[in-house]
């Protein structure tokens, strides 16, 4: 089933709204759903209590995944600390840093709802700086590349492409080490 | 020996005033203090809620190494909360050095590192392995970010933080992941509270990703018209953006408060003066006073000082009084447990003395 809004991505979320006895069901992909849930106010967002907010979101996300039957969430377990996703849902607390990796699929929609975003752009620890700065730079250059290509500025594009290749080469070398 | 050292640290803490209470910072007629805290965890060790005793001890030992190895942490104190009485832990809460959660939760190897100025404190094994916080008086978020960023770098020379390129600094609760940063500003908003303007403001700021907490942080009551405004979003924004946005939100609230203050001064000055002098009257003559009543009246008195209606006591004295009259602080000063009634008597004496100083 494709998302009813963008008609491009797979719909993974079913939004059901009951208003004055009328039931409306919409099937959405995650991206479109995150855009829409404010307007539909499907998720009651308590104003000042962050813990209620979190548990509420967890339940909502869980519910939709279950209806879809995509991820048997109960069985998901962290390979390092053995915390189950169910336990996380109860306490709102993850067990270790590996949980972020092992629950990533479930966490992304949650992080989007909590922060409007799922990717870090802030401070980087010294030890990871070289690598991550290169990755960020490559991302930014790819964007620029698209822009200059669309403006048909091919000379500039070639320069940017070379720079990307250079950075990617450096990253590969680093990873090989 | 250990007990002796703990005693000395607490004794000093009892006698000293935290620098953030000095009432000197920018916009200190409305902004009491600014604070930033960073949540950090050590790679390879489960978060405190899932760590065993050995792992918790490892974290505590690491924190000890941090302050021993780095010259930046010379003269820092480290307390093991397990060794403190509930009263002493509550005292640290009232001093704003640890959270209520940290004081109450049942778990071994909880620690607290802090400097003499009481501007920096690090909670060990709270919800995350390290929770670093920096406090200054007035609106000084940018300054604090510079200082705490340096401290964070220094700690990182000794430990390896749990970090992922995608999610940033990994924290026990996903509401903190990314920057791990919570920045907050403590505002004194008596005019807005008086005209009932707070509800609208609270609604508006919660809609744009900010949250208001009470005097002692998350889950605590607003008292004495003190509101703590902080960011909720920690992922997808840089530290500088979070600070910049928070500062803008606060500046708007501050200008609202200023506007209402001016309106009150030009339209109902006599009523204002009456309320403020009445508060002064009660505080300087009451024989029994609860902490709730005292906080309310101190807020009025503070309002009077901020408006220039009354010149004494100064803001620093009022800031300090707000801490001194809290239940655990009073008992620490008395050197023994006091029942609520005796506390109300002691509180009245303390306030009378401070105000007539």
């Amino acid at each position: 089933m494709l998302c009813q809004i963008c008609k491009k991505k797979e719909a993974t979320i079913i939004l059901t709204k009951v208003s004055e006895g009328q039931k409306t069901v919409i099937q959405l992909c995650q991206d479109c759903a995150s855009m829409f849930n404010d307007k539909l106010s499907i998720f009651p967002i308590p104003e000042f209590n962050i813990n209620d907010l979190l548990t509420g979101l967890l339940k909502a996300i869980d519910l939709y995944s279950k209806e879809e039957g995509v991820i048997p969430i109960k069985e998901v377990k962290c390979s390092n600390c053995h915390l189950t996703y169910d336990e996380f849902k109860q306490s709102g607390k993850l067990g270790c840093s590996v949980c972020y990796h092992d629950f990533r699929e479930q966490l992304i929609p949650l992080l989007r709802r909590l922060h409007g975003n799922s990717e870090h752009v802030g401070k980087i620890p010294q030890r990871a700086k070289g690598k991550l700065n290169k990755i960020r730079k490559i991302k930014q250059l790819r964007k620029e590349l698209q822009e200059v290509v669309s403006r048909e500025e091919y000379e500039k594009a070639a320069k940017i492409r070379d720079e990307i290749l250079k950075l990617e080469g450096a990253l590969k070398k680093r990873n090989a080490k | 020996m250990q007990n002796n050292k703990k005693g000395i640290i607490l004794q000093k803490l009892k006698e000293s005033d935290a620098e953030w209470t000095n009432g000197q910072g920018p916009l200190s007629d409305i902004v009491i203090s600014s604070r930033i805290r960073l949540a950090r965890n050590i790679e390879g060790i489960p978060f405190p809620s899932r760590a065993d005793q050995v792992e918790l001890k490892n974290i505590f030992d690491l924190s000890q190494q941090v302050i021993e190895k780095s010259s930046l942490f010379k003269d820092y104190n480290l307390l093991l909360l397990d060794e403190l009485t509930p009263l002493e832990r509550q005292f640290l809460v009232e001093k704003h050095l640890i959270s209520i959660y940290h004081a109450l939760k049942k778990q071994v190897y909880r620690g607290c590192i802090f400097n003499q100025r009481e501007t920096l404190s690090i909670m060990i094994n709270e919800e995350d392995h390290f929770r670093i916080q920096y406090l200054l008086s007035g609106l000084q978020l940018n300054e604090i970010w510079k200082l705490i960023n340096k401290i964070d770098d220094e700690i990182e020379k000794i430990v390896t933080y749990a970090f992922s390129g995608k999610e940033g600094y990994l924290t026990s609760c996903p509401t903190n992941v990314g920057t791990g940063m919570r920045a907050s500003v403590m505002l004194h908003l008596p005019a807005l509270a008086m005209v009932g303007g707070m509800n609208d403001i609270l609604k508006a700021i919660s809609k744009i990703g900010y949250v208001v907490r009470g005097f002692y942080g998350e889950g605590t009551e607003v008292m004495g018209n003190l509101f703590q405004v902080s960011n909720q979003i920690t992922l997808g924004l840089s530290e500088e953006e979070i600070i910049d946005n928070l500062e803008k939100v606060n500046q708007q609230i501050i200008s609202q408060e200023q506007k209402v203050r001016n309106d009150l001064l030009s339209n109902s000055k006599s009523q204002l003066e009456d309320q403020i002098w009445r508060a002064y009257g009660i505080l300087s003559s009451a024989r029994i006073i609860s902490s709730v009543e005292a906080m309310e009246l101190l807020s009025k008195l503070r309002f009077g000082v901020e408006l220039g209606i009354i010149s004494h006591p100064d803001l620093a004295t009022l800031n300090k009084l707000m801490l001194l009259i809290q239940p655990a602080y009073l008992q620490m000063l008395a050197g023994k447990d006091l029942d609520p009634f005796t506390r109300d008597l002691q509180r009245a004496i303390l306030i009378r003395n401070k105000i007539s100083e």
Side-chain angles (χ1 to χ4, degrees), chain A residues 104-154:
Chain A
R104 185 160 170 78
E105 209 176 322
Q106 289 80 25
L107 283 175
I108 286 178
L110 174 70
L111 293 176
R112 287 227 178 99
R113 295 227 166 76
L114 283 172
H115 302 287
N117 215 309
S118 64
E119 223 159 293
H120 179 58
V121 295
K123 185 177 176 179
I124 299 170
Q126 293 294 331
R127 69 176 165 90
K129 233 175 202 168
K131 186 180 164 187
L132 285 172
N133 278 340
K134 279 193 190 92
I135 293 173
R136 277 187 190 175
K137 182 82 190 168
I138 291 172
K139 252 193 200 166
Q140 188 200 332
L141 286 172
R142 285 214 178 109
K143 248 193 213 162
E144 277 174 39
L145 184 63
Q146 275 184 354
E147 278 166 26
V148 295
V149 168
S150 70
R151 288 200 302 265
E152 299 184 13
E153 297 174 33
Y154 297 116

Side-chain angles (χ1 to χ4, degrees), chain B residues 343-354:
Chain B
R343 291 208 294 267
D344 290 353
L345 290 171
Q346 295 282 349
R347 185 176 294 116
I349 296 172
L350 184 96
I351 294 173
R352 287 206 309 275
N353 288 342
K354 284 277 170 192

Side-chain angles (χ1 to χ4, degrees), chain B residues 60-249:
Chain B
F60 188 81
D61 291 345
L62 267 176
S63 73
Q64 203 153 12
Q65 274 182 41
V66 167
I67 58 168
E68 276 164 12
K69 277 191 187 162
S70 165
S71 58
L72 205 68
F73 299 105
K74 214 175 69 175
D75 301 326
Y76 274 56
N77 300 302
L78 169 63
L79 287 171
L80 179 60
L81 297 195
D82 318 14
E83 290 178 354
L84 304 186
T85 63
L87 177 68
E88 289 165 338
R89 288 200 291 267
Q90 180 61 29
F91 169 62
L92 296 182
V93 174
E94 291 177 1
K95 274 269 188 181
H96 290 255
L97 291 171
I98 64 171
S99 65
I100 294 175
Y101 174 74
H102 202 37
L104 294 180
K105 81 166 171 172
K106 289 189 174 67
Q107 184 203 282
V108 288
Y109 295 109
R110 285 167 297 160
C112 172
I113 292 173
F114 60 93
N115 62 353
Q116 310 285 358
R117 295 157 61 204
E118 295 170 45
T119 47
L120 180 99
S121 78
I122 305 172
M123 286 188 276
I124 319 293
N125 286 327
E126 204 238 28
E127 189 180 293
D128 296 295
H129 293 147
F130 290 173
R131 285 235 169 152
I132 313 160
Q133 76 154 13
Y134 213 107
L135 260 165
L136 287 178
S137 76
L139 190 60
Q140 301 201 58
L141 290 170
N142 285 308
E143 184 60 26
I144 295 178
W145 170 237
K146 269 184 222 150
L147 293 162
I148 201 169
N149 192 18
K150 225 166 127 188
I151 304 251
D152 188 43
D153 287 343
E154 191 72 11
I155 296 175
E156 202 209 314
K157 285 181 190 162
I158 297 157
V159 304
T160 307
Y161 285 143
F163 181 88
S164 116
K166 283 221 158 72
E167 288 99 2
Y169 290 93
L170 303 175
T171 53
S172 166
C173 184
T175 51
N176 295 311
V177 76
T179 56
M181 180 165 109
R182 188 90 60 221
S184 64
V185 176
M186 177 104 65
L187 301 166
H188 184 229
L189 305 173
L192 279 168
M194 208 177 266
V195 300
M198 276 321 291
N199 276 346
D200 289 344
I201 289 186
L202 297 186
K203 255 187 212 152
I205 60 175
S206 71
K207 275 192 189 133
I208 51 169
Y210 295 88
V211 73
V212 174
R213 301 188 161 99
F215 189 46
Y216 284 106
E218 200 170 335
T220 64
E221 296 272 320
V222 168
M223 40 180 187
N225 298 317
L226 297 167
F227 297 85
Q228 216 181 118
V229 183
S230 58
N231 67 300
Q232 246 191 97
I233 292 169
T234 55
L235 185 66
L237 290 174
S238 70
E239 287 80 357
E240 288 81 3
E241 285 169 322
I242 292 174
I243 288 169
D244 196 45
N245 292 346
L246 183 67
E247 202 154 303
K248 278 183 190 140
V249 167

Side-chain angles (χ1 to χ4, degrees), chain A residues 18-118:
Chain A
V18 182
S19 162
E20 291 166 22
Q22 283 271 324
K23 192 174 153 189
T24 330
V25 180
I26 319 170
Q27 309 214 15
L28 302 168
C29 70
Q30 250 147 28
D31 289 347
C32 292
S34 66
M35 259 164 38
F36 269 76
N37 78 37
D38 274 347
K39 286 174 198 145
L40 296 171
S41 52
I42 291 273
F43 304 107
I45 296 177
E47 258 157 21
F48 304 120
N49 194 329
I50 205 150
N51 281 329
D52 289 353
L53 175 71
L54 183 60
T55 353
L57 283 174
L58 282 165
K59 273 187 200 141
I61 290 164
D62 191 27
L63 183 73
Y64 297 125
S65 314
K66 252 186 211 155
E67 277 183 24
E68 276 290 281
V70 197
I71 321 149
I73 277 176
K74 269 198 175 146
E75 281 133 55
V76 184
K77 207 176 203 183
C78 170
S79 62
N80 182 49
C81 74
H82 310 299
L83 182 87
T84 63
Y85 191 76
D86 237 31
E87 285 173 299
F88 163 60
K89 245 175 46 202
Q90 307 273 325
S91 69
K93 282 177 193 169
L94 291 161
C96 70
S97 46
V98 181
C99 290
Y100 277 94
H101 176 266
D102 291 359
F103 298 150
R104 185 160 170 78
E105 209 176 322
Q106 289 80 25
L107 283 175
I108 286 178
L110 174 70
L111 293 176
R112 287 227 178 99
R113 295 227 166 76
L114 283 172
H115 302 287
N117 215 309
S118 64

